[in-house]
């Protein structure tokens, strides 16, 4: 009887499902009705105390029936929960699946020995009725569904030929799919993006990419621009910023939570997008260690990725980022998807150029901001359509004071555009663009605007010549210092990572020191220790005696980081202390020696730190030992040439 109970439960679950909306309505409704009728049969069997045992043939039929019901339930749920547009594209094979399952059920009902059961006449008639309906099933597709599918394919074909679709035809198709506003279109796009992850063959991924392009265009053209998505995005960002993200989960370049951690030749881990951008900008060294990379191969750090994913689930933080076909799946755009993107971009840029009000401009700018996040094709199209000069008009302080959201959206769009290497040049060469970003960095209406302006400077400084050019601007350095001192944590982080990038140029380091960078990082070292000590390491390494003298007051704080910091922070702290002590003279070493328990702290780093931290700690210990013996600390051999054997002999037993 347990098997009958399971069949009843399963048939009731199917009966409780709603028919598939808009598509396969008859197929799904017929399946639900059959399940309801068979549920009555199972209820009758459970109520009848005589039927306590069944023959082997009945049991076999019940077992097979249970499998068929499971498959029916799975098919129904998949059709109801997925993308409507993708469901439409697969309408024929799905109709065949419903038909095949109905035929399997029909076969089981045909051979089922119903006479062996003690059923009432009414229930037995229901059984016969279900068997008859199953037998009459046909594999055909509803003509309305098939016509709708052909209409969508025709639209994609038009777009592929660069023919702009007729708006009324677009509206008719979306109406038939139940997509009647911004929100439903946005949800459908997200469903399609998630669907890409479920596909194995490349053709299906490309087909979905084309559908996404079509829907993005239709959403903008039919329902206008909207900023309604900004609020949930902002809440998500705030919720993540309120959580203490483990230091090892942050990318050393972007300082954001890593989504796709990879290991470079130096052994350091970065987020794939950030390190790719670094390498493509012409750098051949590890951003953290400064080592020249023997090769540029990126090895996925799957163990760390799994840990990050697990942590995200525990914190209820979205791990996979939606909105990027290219980033999430690596799918290249089809001709139809690319042309749809171009049409969407030109529609939005033209609309922005003639926007009658700031509110309308803000809505369009947000759409461009969201589109610029998606992939390289979108970023290229937006820039080529002439969006940058128009966006520059939205960066001014007048706009910021009256419409702060517009200023935020404009500078963030430029930030997203700057990810593409060719767009860096476009931004730097567009009249007023760089000055506009710098003005937002200095006088932006919100901390978010200032932080994203700093991130734009960081992105632009990925090109060596632009890094030198930006580093010569006193306004940039002062604004970054002010943001690092006074901004909230996220904005401080944006400023610090940009300062670190600028510090890659020796000439700029001098200006950073003159601008008070060491005082600034000492001031934030308790809030963002990793970022602060990494900058300090870079500055004292390249900043000369002035930087060393300025860093004198940081020695005790570096000692604290050496004791309590993360592996990354301890590594940078040890490297900074080595440089400061070797170039700062006996007075500096004496200051380090005065830190309580400093030798024990150094021994701990030598035993538990990263390989580089151990090497630097070993040098520090030798410096302290020579100082205490009254010897010249400058004679200490550099850690980079110390052998592993030498280190081993120095470690405590």
């Amino acid at each position: 009887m347990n098997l009958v109970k399971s069949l009843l439960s399963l048939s009731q679950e199917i009966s409780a499902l709603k028919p598939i909306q808009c598509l396969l309505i008859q197929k799904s409704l017929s399946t639900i009705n059959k399940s309801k009728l068979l549920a009555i049969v199972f209820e009758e069997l459970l109520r009848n105390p005589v039927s306590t045992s069944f023959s082997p043939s009945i049991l076999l039929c019940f077992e097979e029936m249970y499998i068929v019901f499971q498959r029916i339930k799975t098919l129904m749920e998949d059709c109801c929960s997925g993308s409507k547009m993708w469901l439409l594209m697969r309408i024929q094979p799905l109709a065949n699946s419903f038909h095949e399952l109905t035929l399997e059920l029909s076969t089981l009902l045909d051979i089922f020995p119903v006479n062996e059961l003690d059923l009432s006449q009414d229930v037995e008639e229901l059984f016969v009725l279900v068997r008859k309906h199953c037998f009459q099933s046909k594999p055909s597709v509803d003509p309305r569904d098939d016509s709708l599918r052909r209409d969508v394919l025709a639209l994609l074909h038009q777009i592929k030929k660069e023919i702009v679709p007729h708006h009324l035809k677009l509206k008719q198709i979306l109406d038939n799919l139940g997509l009647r506003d911004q929100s439903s279109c946005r949800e459908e796009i997200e469903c399609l993006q998630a669907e890409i992850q479920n596909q194995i063959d490349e053709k299906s991924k490309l087909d979905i990419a084309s559908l996404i392009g079509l829907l993005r265009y239709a959403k903008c053209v039919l329902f206008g621009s909207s900023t309604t998505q900004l609020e949930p995005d902002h809440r998500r960002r705030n919720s993540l910023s309120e959580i203490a993200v483990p230091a090892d989960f942050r990318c050393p370049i972007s300082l954001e939570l890593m989504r796709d951690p990879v290991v470079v030749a130096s052994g350091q881990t970065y987020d794939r997008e950030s390190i790719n951008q670094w390498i493509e900008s012409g750098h051949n060294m590890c951003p953290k260690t400064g080592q020249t990379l023997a090769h540029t191969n990126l090895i996925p750090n799957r163990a760390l990725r799994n840990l990050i994913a697990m942590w995200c689930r525990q914190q209820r933080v979205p791990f996979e980022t939606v909105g990027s076909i290219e980033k999430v799946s690596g799918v290249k755009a089809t001709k139809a998807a690319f042309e749809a993107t171009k049409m969407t971009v030109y529609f939005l840029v033209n609309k922005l150029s003639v926007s009658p009000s700031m509110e309308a401009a803000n809505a369009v700018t947000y759409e461009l901001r969201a589109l610029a996040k998606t992939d390289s094709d979108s970023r290229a199209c937006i820039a080529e359509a002439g969006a940058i000069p128009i966006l520059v008009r939205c960066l001014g302080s007048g706009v910021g004071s009256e419409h702060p959201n517009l200023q935020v959206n404009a500078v963030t769009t430029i930030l997203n555009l700057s990810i593409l290497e060719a767009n860096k040049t476009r931004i730097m060469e567009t009249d007023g663009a760089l000055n506009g970003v710098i003005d937002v960095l200095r006088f932006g209406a919100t901390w978010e605007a200032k932080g994203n302006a700093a991130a734009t400077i960081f992105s632009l400084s990925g090109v060596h010549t632009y890094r030198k050019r930006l580093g010569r601007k006193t306004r940039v350095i002062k604004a970054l210092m002010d943001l690092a001192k006074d901004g909230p944590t996220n904005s401080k982080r944006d400023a610090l990572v940009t300062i670190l990038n600028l510090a890659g140029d020796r000439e700029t380091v001098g200006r950073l020191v003159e601008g008070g960078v060491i005082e600034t990082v000492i001031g934030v070292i308790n809030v963002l220790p990793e970022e602060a000590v990494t900058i300090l390491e870079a500055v004292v390494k390249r900043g000369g005696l002035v930087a060393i003298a300025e860093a004198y007051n940081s020695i005790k704080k570096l000692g604290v980081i050496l004791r309590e910091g993360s592996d990354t922070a301890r590594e940078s702290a040890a490297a900074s202390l080595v440089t400061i002590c070797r170039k700062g003279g006996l007075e500096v070493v004496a200051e380090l020696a005065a830190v309580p328990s400093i030798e024990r702290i150094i021994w701990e780093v030598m035993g538990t730190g990263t390989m580089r931290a151990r090497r630097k700690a070993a040098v520090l210990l030798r410096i302290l030992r020579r100082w205490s013996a009254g010897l010249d600390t400058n004679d200490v051999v550099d850690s980079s040439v110390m052998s592993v054997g030498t280190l081993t002999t120095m470690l405590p037993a």
Side-chain angles (χ1 to χ4, degrees):
M1 296 302 287
N2 287 336
L3 184 55
V4 178
K5 289 179 182 177
S6 297
L7 281 167
L8 174 60
S9 175
L10 195 51
S11 60
Q12 288 174 336
E13 288 175 14
I14 297 172
S15 302
L17 295 174
K18 294 181 179 179
I20 302 170
Q21 295 181 6
C22 307
L23 303 168
L24 293 168
I25 296 174
Q26 292 302 320
K27 294 285 185 186
S28 59
L29 187 58
S30 175
T31 300
I32 290 171
N33 288 336
K34 292 183 183 72
S35 297
K36 287 180 179 179
L37 294 176
L38 287 173
I40 296 173
V41 176
F42 299 137
E43 285 176 343
E44 173 79 3
L45 290 173
L46 289 174
R47 282 197 302 267
N48 191 342
V50 177
S51 303
T52 55
S53 61
F54 302 112
S55 65
S57 58
I58 291 178
L59 287 174
L60 182 60
C61 284
F62 279 160
E63 289 171 358
E64 294 296 324
M65 215 176 284
Y66 183 82
I67 294 172
V68 172
F69 274 130
Q70 284 282 16
R71 291 167 60 195
I72 289 173
K73 182 188 174 190
T74 300
L75 179 60
M76 287 281 294
E77 288 176 340
D78 287 347
C79 291
C80 290
S81 62
S83 157
K84 296 175 184 176
M85 192 75 86
W86 186 234
L87 181 68
L88 179 63
M89 294 297 101
R90 299 176 296 135
I91 202 76
Q92 184 64 64
L94 288 172
N96 290 340
S97 295
F98 274 102
H99 176 66
E100 288 166 6
L101 288 171
T102 304
L103 285 184
E104 289 185 33
L105 186 59
S106 175
T107 301
L108 290 171
L109 296 178
D110 279 342
I111 65 173
F112 191 87
V114 67
N115 295 330
E116 295 181 18
L117 301 176
D118 187 15
L119 296 174
S120 66
Q121 183 177 351
D122 289 344
V123 173
E124 189 169 339
E125 288 176 356
L126 285 179
F127 186 91
V128 173
L129 180 63
V130 174
R131 184 165 58 192
K132 179 181 177 182
H133 284 176
C134 288
F135 180 76
Q136 293 173 344
S137 172
K138 296 180 180 179
S140 60
V141 174
D142 188 319
R144 175 185 167 279
D145 292 349
D146 188 54
S147 174
L148 186 58
R149 185 182 71 88
R150 284 188 276 106
D151 286 345
V152 171
L153 292 175
L155 273 185
L156 291 173
H157 186 67
Q158 281 184 357
I159 291 174
K160 190 175 179 180
K161 290 188 171 184
E162 304 179 32
I163 300 172
V164 177
H166 197 284
H167 293 185
L168 289 179
K169 191 63 178 178
L170 269 177
K171 188 175 188 308
Q172 180 186 359
I173 289 173
L174 265 60
D175 277 346
N176 288 333
L177 289 169
L179 307 174
R180 300 185 176 92
D181 53 30
Q182 274 264 354
S183 177
S184 58
C185 275
R186 188 165 55 246
E187 289 174 5
E188 176 66 12
I189 291 171
E190 291 175 357
C191 283
L192 284 168
Q193 289 165 342
E195 194 64 55
I196 287 182
Q197 304 304 305
N198 300 326
Q199 303 305 312
I200 299 175
D201 65 296
E202 195 68 19
K203 184 180 183 305
S204 295
K205 292 182 178 183
L206 294 174
D207 289 344
I208 295 173
S210 299
L211 294 174
I212 290 174
L214 171 62
L215 270 175
R216 280 186 180 142
Y217 174 74
K219 178 174 75 74
C220 291
V221 169
L222 296 179
F223 307 119
S225 305
S226 170
T227 58
T228 54
Q229 192 179 358
L230 182 60
E231 292 183 0
D233 278 356
H234 188 56
R235 283 197 298 269
R236 255 199 315 272
R237 179 176 179 181
N238 283 341
S239 65
L240 181 58
S241 67
E242 291 165 3
I243 300 171
V245 178
D248 291 339
F249 292 175
R250 292 187 184 276
C251 174
I253 297 176
S254 68
L255 304 178
E256 297 294 334
L257 183 70
M258 287 188 280
R259 308 290 177 171
D260 187 8
V262 293
V263 181
V264 298
S266 64
Q268 300 293 331
T269 297
Y270 302 92
D271 195 49
R272 184 183 295 275
E273 184 179 15
S274 296
I275 193 62
N276 264 334
Q277 184 179 341
W278 172 268
I279 292 171
E280 289 169 3
S281 297
H283 298 97
N284 65 344
M285 66 179 70
C286 174
K288 263 179 75 173
T289 67
Q291 294 174 248
T292 299
L293 297 175
H295 57 78
T296 56
N297 297 335
L298 304 179
I299 303 169
N301 192 336
R302 292 189 176 88
L304 180 58
R305 189 181 191 280
N306 291 338
L307 288 174
I308 294 173
M310 186 184 305
W311 179 84
C312 286
R313 286 194 297 271
Q314 292 170 349
Q315 301 295 330
R316 296 183 178 179
V317 173
F319 178 59
E320 294 295 346
T321 55
V322 294
S324 172
I325 301 174
E326 183 182 65
K327 183 191 294 184
V328 173
S329 64
V331 177
K332 294 183 179 179
T334 61
K335 172 68 172 172
F338 179 71
E339 293 301 332
T341 296
K342 282 179 63 177
M343 290 178 187
T344 305
V345 165
Y346 278 92
F347 174 82
L348 290 172
V349 172
N350 288 336
K351 193 172 180 181
L352 180 60
S353 65
V354 296
S355 291
S357 66
M358 291 293 186
E359 289 79 7
N362 182 44
V364 177
T365 304
Y366 179 76
E367 291 291 345
L368 287 170
R369 168 184 174 175
L371 193 58
K373 284 179 64 178
T374 58
D375 52 50
S376 296
D377 285 338
S378 297
R379 290 187 271 273
C381 287
I382 292 171
E384 289 167 3
I388 295 174
I390 303 173
L391 290 168
V392 169
R393 302 202 302 252
C394 304
L395 299 178
S397 56
V399 173
S401 60
E402 295 183 20
H403 299 277
N405 283 343
L406 175 55
Q407 187 184 63
V408 169
N409 286 330
V411 74
T412 308
T413 305
I414 293 175
L415 166 61
N416 293 338
L417 292 176
S418 72
I419 296 171
L420 185 66
E421 204 65 20
N423 284 348
K424 288 179 171 61
T425 301
R426 286 192 176 101
I427 293 168
M428 294 294 287
E429 293 181 354
T430 297
D431 287 343
L434 180 58
N435 285 334
V437 172
I438 294 173
D439 285 345
V440 175
L441 177 62
R442 298 174 67 197
F443 311 116
T446 65
W447 290 118
E448 184 182 4
K450 291 183 176 183
N452 287 347
T456 306
I457 298 294
F458 167 80
S459 179
L460 295 172
S461 65
V463 178
H464 180 70
T465 53
Y466 298 157
R467 182 164 69 238
K468 293 180 74 69
R469 179 176 164 186
L470 290 164
R472 294 190 186 105
K473 293 184 179 293
T474 306
R475 292 180 301 154
V476 172
I477 291 175
K478 184 179 186 307
L480 289 172
M481 299 295 183
D482 291 342
L483 186 59
K485 290 176 185 175
D486 304 326
T489 302
N490 278 341
S491 298
K492 287 180 187 292
R493 185 176 287 112
D494 289 329
L496 290 177
V497 74
T498 306
I499 290 171
L500 178 60
N501 214 28
L502 293 176
D505 177 65
R506 188 176 294 275
E507 182 184 340
T508 301
V509 170
R511 294 188 179 88
L512 289 171
V513 174
E514 291 173 7
V517 66
I518 293 179
E519 179 187 352
T520 299
V521 297
I522 292 174
V524 300
I525 201 167
N526 294 330
V527 180
L528 296 167
E530 285 194 24
E531 294 82 353
V533 294
T534 305
I535 292 172
L536 195 58
E537 178 190 354
V539 170
V540 297
K541 181 179 179 181
R542 302 184 181 96
L545 292 177
V546 176
I548 299 298
E550 291 284 335
Y552 180 83
N553 294 328
S554 69
I555 291 175
K556 290 183 179 178
K557 290 197 174 186
L558 287 174
V560 174
I561 297 296
L562 208 58
R563 182 180 68 245
E564 301 175 355
S566 65
D567 285 347
T568 302
R570 293 165 80 194
E571 180 182 307
S572 292
S576 300
L577 285 170
V578 166
T579 304
I580 293 169
C581 288
R582 293 195 64 190
K583 296 182 179 180
L586 297 178
E587 185 180 352
V588 172
V589 181
E591 181 74 7
L592 176 63
V595 174
S597 307
I598 186 62
E599 285 203 12
R600 180 182 59 79
I601 294 169
I602 292 174
W603 279 115
E604 288 179 1
V605 175
M606 290 171 64
T608 62
T610 64
M611 184 58 69
R612 181 168 180 260
R614 293 182 187 191
R615 291 199 303 268
K616 295 296 182 181
V619 175
L620 269 184
L621 188 61
R622 293 188 66 185
I623 289 174
L624 287 173
R625 292 285 172 83
R626 293 183 69 84
W627 171 82
S628 63
L631 301 175
D632 187 356
T633 57
N634 288 326
D635 291 338
V636 177
V637 180
D638 191 84
S639 60
S640 62
V641 298
M642 294 183 67
S643 67
V644 176
T646 305
L647 278 173
T648 304
T649 59
M650 294 187 66
L651 291 174

